[in-house]
Amino acid sequence: LEVTLLSQDGTPVRGLRVDGKAGRPATDRFDRTVVFEDAGSGRYQSEKIDLAPGHWIVAIEARDPVAKEVVRLRLKERLWLSQ
């Protein structure tokens, strides 16, 4: 998975601690923790995770690396994977 974080003026947001979870909507049996690494230019990439076809919900939080309780972004998206 990859996410790009930009400020309101389009400047890349760097240096955040970004992690989250991918899971099925109806059960937590397939939940997976996702940790993203700063890939530069506001891009954050996770290691490859193998998700089966179907509905998934991905929830991501981007936090300040020093003040970890400060959440800069929360994102929750429903995905449909066909293959």
Side-chain angles (χ1 to χ4, degrees):
L1 296 173
E2 180 177 299
V3 63
T4 301
L5 303 179
L6 304 173
S7 67
Q8 289 181 344
D9 66 2
T11 304
V13 178
R14 299 181 187 109
L16 297 178
R17 187 176 140 238
V18 181
D19 55 19
K21 180 175 80 167
R24 297 285 194 174
T27 181
D28 61 1
R29 193 170 115 190
F30 302 104
D31 285 4
R32 298 190 181 141
T33 300
V34 183
V35 178
F36 293 82
E37 297 291 328
D38 189 341
S41 300
R43 291 182 312 116
Y44 293 83
Q45 296 175 330
S46 74
E47 61 184 45
K48 184 178 178 185
I49 57 174
D50 194 22
L51 300 177
H55 284 107
W56 290 88
I57 293 179
V58 177
I60 297 171
E61 284 192 348
R63 296 179 178 273
D64 187 291
V66 177
K68 293 181 175 126
E69 69 279 356
V70 177
V71 177
R72 300 291 177 107
L73 170 82
R74 277 195 180 104
L75 173 70
K76 190 173 189 178
E77 291 289 329
R78 182 180 287 259
L79 304 176
W80 169 258
L81 302 179
S82 60
Q83 293 186 24

